[in-house]
Amino acid sequence: MSTMWYSLAVSALIAHDSFKRYETYAIRAHTALLLGPPTLALGFLGSTGLSSQSVLHTLPLVYAAYLGALTVYTILYRISPFHPLAQYPGPLGCKVSQWWMACKSWSGYEHLYISELHHKYGDVVRIGPNELSIRDASAISPIMSIAKGPQYVGRMLSDGIHLPIIGIQDPAEHLRRRRPWNRAFTVPALRGYEETIARRARQLVDALERHNGGQVILGKWFNYFAYDFMCDMAFGGGSELLQERDNSNVWRVLDEGMKVGTLLAHVPWLGVYLSHIPLATGALDILISHCRMLTTQRVQRGATQKDLFHYLNDEDLANSSEKPRAQPPLRQLTDDGCLIVVAGADTTSSALTSLFYCLLTNPETYRRLQDEVDKFYPRGEDTFDVRYHREMRWLNAVIYETLRLFPPVPGGSQRRVPHNSAGVMAGDAFIPPGTSVWAHTWSIHRDPRNFSRPDAFWPDRWLLASTTLGSFPSSASSSAEADGVRDFVHNEDAWIPFAQGQMNCVGKNLALLEIRMVVCALMQRFEMRLSEGWDAREYEWKFRAYLVATRPEMPVRLRVRCT
Ligand code: HEM
């Protein structure tokens, strides 16, 4: 009998080592490692001549002892000085289990929690048993060159094999999958989407005009706009929220699905298990099935215009010498289709809502932008003619500053150092193999070592520092002095709302184009102000992160301009 207990203890040790070494999400491997040894032990007991009743009585004890030993080994190892991340500080809960951060993420304030941890522990914090968050700007570039992390396995209820491009961990496969995406966002391709943006933005303006003198929840309208446009742009149509409103609760499903997805991002293995149970995750299941349906319909229907799937389905290569070896599998296309709505619509709507929040709480900035829009697009001038965008320095400064202060993906990007590598140096930190690591956008954007007055909405900083947006204006310089900013700090490398490097946001230029077109159209047509009685501080309090930031309802009064 004692030999059996001893063997069980050793088996638990071996199982712990296998989990640690291979970190597999394969359900068969989990079953074998979790249930195999105690089942064998019970078989052994049966063969010693023990009655089946005694074996049955011992059964719970054997399983409990084995799983208990496995749990104890795991916890002891994670908090021991032998763990590769032992040198990095962090809360005990984070070191012990990923469930700690999973629970924190449910509130939507994970970005603030991690920011607090950085204040308390410094630039490198252990936020999971095998996970680090880094606030040091010099670490951004090395982190962004590492392969993607496993969060999307859980987030997308993946089987661990099929994933949208954003979650592909093998760099060579990511590069292969990225090629059609890159073709879809070249300058000529972007030009092809301008008319669709303009059509939807016109529809937005018309719909808002019907509320002249009244109150609207502006963010909702941006949701409708962004979703309708993204469906046009990706699938060649399929949504009319601007016309019909959100009767089928697309956005509620999206918000709820993202919440569940955020929890699962911390425990990817659970996402793999739930992917085998139909409707186990409610909204997330509905969201993913809906996106799969849109993609399948689009692929079966074929192209009616040069939409995103024109490129993702290699239709653009039909007459080219660069012919693909084979048509992309439907599963690959539907996996990417699931990403498009979240990556393309939710983020852009979040950015637009935050931008108008910043404008409406900063009347001077609002007025300057109004003047700039009136200068380039006086009444009667087509705001959808994008040729002036580059010259609109204040508009660009306002956009950059909004994305700094309220990044639509506040947590940033996760990467994972491959198990079979030698580790990576990121800034001063050594990141051992098998470690997931985040460059924490929220903390980096609000670090005074990167940006003066980091918590203030101060678009002038972009003019002050500008190399890309124009020359250094003397008026901005004096306003900095008046504001008491003597040692002006501005580190553009630390501005990462779209991440950085080859695996960054491929839709960055499309997003900026959409934002500029919508802002110009709305500023030319309307005067806006926040509804009286609404506490503007609510926006910051209720700005939550479920991968993409969910924004509180912001009531706005608007009036059609007479000029
Ligand atoms: C303001 C709007 C947007 C923001 C702030 C934003 C931000 C981001 C971020 C932070 C990532 C993660 C990159 C990484 O893992 O390092 C990402 C990835 C991605 N975004 Fe965006 N995004 C925006 C708009 C868009 C739009 C309009 C599209 C168009 C469909 C898009 C498509 C994608 C795709 C496909 C990826 C995955 C890229 C890859 O892994 O290669 N995004 N985005």
Side-chain angles (χ1 to χ4, degrees):
M1 197 75 159
S2 62
T3 321
M4 186 198 76
W5 294 117
Y6 177 73
S7 315
L8 268 184
V10 174
S11 311
L13 204 58
I14 295 171
H16 165 247
D17 193 60
S18 309
F19 273 120
K20 174 163 73 76
R21 204 177 292 265
Y22 302 109
E23 240 182 296
T24 172
Y25 299 131
I27 296 178
R28 277 192 195 154
H30 288 183
T31 315
L33 288 171
L34 292 175
L35 303 181
T39 310
L40 282 177
L42 286 169
F44 165 77
L45 272 189
S47 70
T48 58
L50 221 62
S51 71
S52 39
Q53 209 171 14
S54 312
V55 173
L56 217 60
H57 270 126
T58 331
L59 183 144
L61 189 63
V62 168
Y63 280 105
Y66 174 75
L67 295 176
L70 186 55
T71 310
V72 170
Y73 291 148
T74 306
I75 293 175
L76 286 180
Y77 174 68
R78 286 174 174 180
I79 58 174
S80 77
F82 306 110
H83 192 282
L85 299 185
Q87 60 172 306
Y88 296 115
L92 185 64
C94 289
K95 293 178 187 174
V96 167
S97 169
Q98 285 184 302
W99 279 103
W100 181 271
M101 201 50 94
C103 294
K104 293 281 175 194
S105 73
W106 191 250
S107 67
Y109 294 117
E110 182 186 336
H111 59 298
L112 297 183
Y113 176 64
I114 293 181
S115 175
E116 268 170 36
L117 293 182
H118 279 300
H119 279 303
K120 182 168 176 191
Y121 294 107
D123 281 344
V124 187
V125 180
R126 191 167 163 196
I127 57 165
N130 299 313
E131 194 156 23
L132 295 175
S133 172
I134 299 194
R135 185 184 55 175
D136 172 9
S138 70
I140 295 172
S141 180
I143 291 175
M144 295 295 174
S145 320
I146 306 171
K148 298 263 183 168
Q151 60 158 326
Y152 286 95
V153 174
R155 237 184 238 291
M156 303 304 291
L157 295 182
S158 159
D159 54 8
I161 300 162
H162 299 96
L163 280 162
I165 179 174
I166 199 166
I168 293 175
Q169 291 174 259
D170 173 6
E173 175 62 4
H174 183 274
L175 192 66
R176 188 188 71 75
R177 287 275 290 276
R178 176 87 179 209
R179 279 188 204 117
W181 280 94
N182 285 340
R183 296 201 305 273
F185 291 97
T186 55
V187 174
L190 281 175
R191 223 166 270 141
Y193 309 133
E194 273 172 23
E195 184 41 47
T196 316
I197 306 176
R199 191 168 56 79
R200 287 300 187 181
R202 238 176 249 125
Q203 205 182 344
L204 172 68
V205 171
D206 291 347
L208 289 177
E209 265 188 24
R210 288 195 273 281
H211 296 269
N212 186 14
Q215 174 179 295
V216 293
I217 302 295
L218 202 53
K220 270 195 186 168
W221 288 96
F222 291 144
N223 283 350
Y224 301 160
F225 159 81
Y227 189 75
D228 283 355
F229 165 67
M230 202 37 69
C231 285
D232 292 346
M233 185 262 177
F235 311 111
S239 172
E240 290 300 339
L241 301 187
L242 279 167
Q243 200 177 310
E244 298 164 3
R245 312 288 180 274
D246 194 1
N247 294 331
S248 45
N249 284 325
V250 172
W251 276 90
R252 194 180 55 77
V253 169
L254 189 66
D255 286 345
E256 285 176 12
M258 296 292 284
K259 191 170 175 181
V260 179
T262 297
L263 185 138
L264 294 176
H266 292 284
V267 277
W269 59 267
L270 184 60
V272 176
Y273 280 71
L274 294 178
S275 72
H276 294 279
I277 308 171
L279 293 177
T281 54
L284 187 56
D285 263 315
I286 298 172
L287 173 65
I288 291 175
S289 313
H290 179 68
C291 296
R292 285 195 193 289
M293 182 201 65
L294 286 175
T295 313
T296 311
Q297 283 175 352
R298 157 63 184 86
V299 174
Q300 284 167 353
R301 196 174 56 232
T304 50
Q305 61 189 64
K306 284 188 184 174
D307 57 17
L308 184 52
F309 279 96
H310 173 71
Y311 302 95
L312 299 190
N313 198 23
D314 288 339
E315 291 163 10
D316 60 320
L317 299 183
N319 301 317
S320 119
S321 53
E322 194 197 327
K323 279 222 164 68
R325 266 168 291 157
Q327 197 76 3
L330 182 63
R331 177 64 201 251
Q332 175 182 312
L333 297 173
T334 55
D335 286 336
D336 279 351
C338 292
L339 170 68
I340 288 166
V341 172
V342 175
D346 206 5
T347 47
T348 311
S349 177
S350 173
L352 278 167
T353 312
S354 295
L355 187 146
F356 274 90
Y357 165 74
C358 292
L359 280 182
L360 293 169
T361 47
N362 291 277
E364 173 59 16
T365 310
Y366 185 105
R367 193 195 51 72
R368 276 175 78 179
L369 185 57
Q370 186 78 77
D371 290 348
E372 191 179 65
V373 171
D374 288 349
K375 179 177 150 208
F376 286 97
Y377 300 105
R379 198 173 177 202
E381 189 76 20
D382 178 12
T383 50
F384 303 118
D385 179 349
V386 302
R387 88 181 98 150
Y388 303 120
H389 282 180
R390 282 202 166 275
E391 291 172 59
M392 299 184 72
R393 300 173 59 213
W394 191 241
L395 170 66
N396 288 311
V398 167
I399 294 173
Y400 279 41
E401 183 63 351
T402 302
L403 294 175
R404 185 191 69 79
L405 207 54
F406 294 106
V409 186
S413 310
Q414 189 197 41
R415 299 289 191 260
R416 158 75 67 88
V417 180
H419 277 280
N420 56 358
S421 71
V424 169
M425 277 308 293
D428 293 334
F430 173 70
I431 313 175
T435 306
S436 296
V437 57
W438 298 79
H440 195 242
T441 306
W442 185 272
S443 304
I444 292 171
H445 280 188
R446 290 180 179 234
D447 186 336
R449 291 171 299 175
N450 299 324
F451 299 102
S452 303
R453 298 171 59 199
D455 294 322
F457 177 71
W458 186 38
D460 270 302
R461 75 177 78 241
W462 295 94
L463 302 187
L464 264 171
S466 176
T467 46
T468 48
L469 304 176
S471 62
F472 192 93
S474 55
S475 62
S477 158
S478 57
S479 96
E481 273 165 31
D483 286 332
V485 182
R486 303 220 180 284
D487 302 315
F488 177 62
V489 182
H490 187 86
N491 178 4
E492 278 191 29
D493 291 338
W495 184 78
I496 49 169
F498 298 98
Q500 250 186 29
Q502 287 193 329
M503 290 176 276
N504 75 343
C505 174
V506 71
K508 174 182 173 183
N509 290 331
L510 177 71
L512 293 174
L513 182 66
E514 271 183 82
I515 295 169
R516 289 179 187 126
M517 285 172 90
V518 169
V519 172
C520 289
L522 293 190
M523 297 295 287
Q524 189 201 47
R525 196 75 195 109
F526 299 107
E527 253 165 42
M528 297 187 202
R529 62 183 165 82
L530 288 173
S531 291
E532 48 292 322
W534 185 68
D535 186 348
R537 289 170 303 173
E538 221 178 87
Y539 194 83
E540 297 228 15
W541 299 333
K542 293 189 178 168
F543 186 85
R544 298 181 199 208
Y546 295 110
L547 175 62
V548 179
T550 59
R551 21 316 147 189
E553 294 201 340
M554 178 173 66
V556 171
R557 293 210 164 267
L558 49 80
R559 211 156 37 81
V560 173
R561 295 178 70 203
C562 343
T563 50

